[in-house]
Amino acid sequence: MATQTMIRRKLRARRKVRTAAGERLRLSVYRSSKHIYAQIIDDSKGITVAAATSAAVKSGNKTDTAAAVGKALAAVALEKGVKQVVFDRGSYRYHGRVKALADAAREGGLDF
């Protein structure tokens, strides 16, 4: 039951991402029980432009760590000349760690 709900939520979010993307790169988030990972992907070329993980950045609780990952990802992306992305939360709700990462990436200079 929960797996079906997650799959439906993931497909619904992906459909919105694809329609909104246009020529923008995709900021994809993966959240495990211990860590959070984020990467900026160029789907037309099939390459990862920038990436950040909580395994490299540790600060406080999980939400603070997610915010640090968002800031680190924004810094790397701006160095590579990426300013506009579309946010792909996957099957995760826009809440808690995912929201903290997104807000920190926005503060870091990414536009989505």
Side-chain angles (χ1 to χ4, degrees):
M1 175 74 177
T3 305
Q4 291 175 346
T5 305
M6 287 183 68
I7 290 171
R8 278 188 291 150
R9 192 182 313 133
K10 180 180 179 179
L11 292 175
R12 186 172 57 239
R14 279 283 159 81
R15 186 174 347 137
K16 290 179 182 181
V17 164
R18 291 224 168 108
T19 57
E23 294 298 318
R24 289 184 177 198
L25 303 179
R26 179 168 53 106
L27 192 161
S28 178
V29 175
Y30 174 73
R31 188 192 73 191
S32 71
S33 61
K34 288 186 177 184
H35 297 289
I36 191 161
Y37 308 88
Q39 58 184 348
I40 297 177
I41 303 166
D42 186 352
D43 288 320
S44 63
K45 296 178 184 174
I47 60 169
T48 300
V49 177
T53 177
S54 64
V57 179
K58 280 287 193 185
S59 62
N61 59 18
K62 291 180 183 178
T63 306
D64 294 339
T65 303
V69 170
K71 286 182 183 179
L73 182 68
V76 172
L78 290 177
E79 285 178 11
K80 303 232 176 159
V82 176
K83 292 186 180 182
Q84 290 189 333
V85 295
V86 61
F87 189 70
D88 180 12
R89 61 183 172 84
S91 63
Y92 310 112
R93 294 181 186 174
Y94 188 78
H95 179 77
R97 291 191 280 163
V98 175
K99 184 175 189 282
L101 188 143
D103 290 342
R106 281 191 191 103
E107 287 176 12
L110 289 179
D111 179 31
F112 57 93

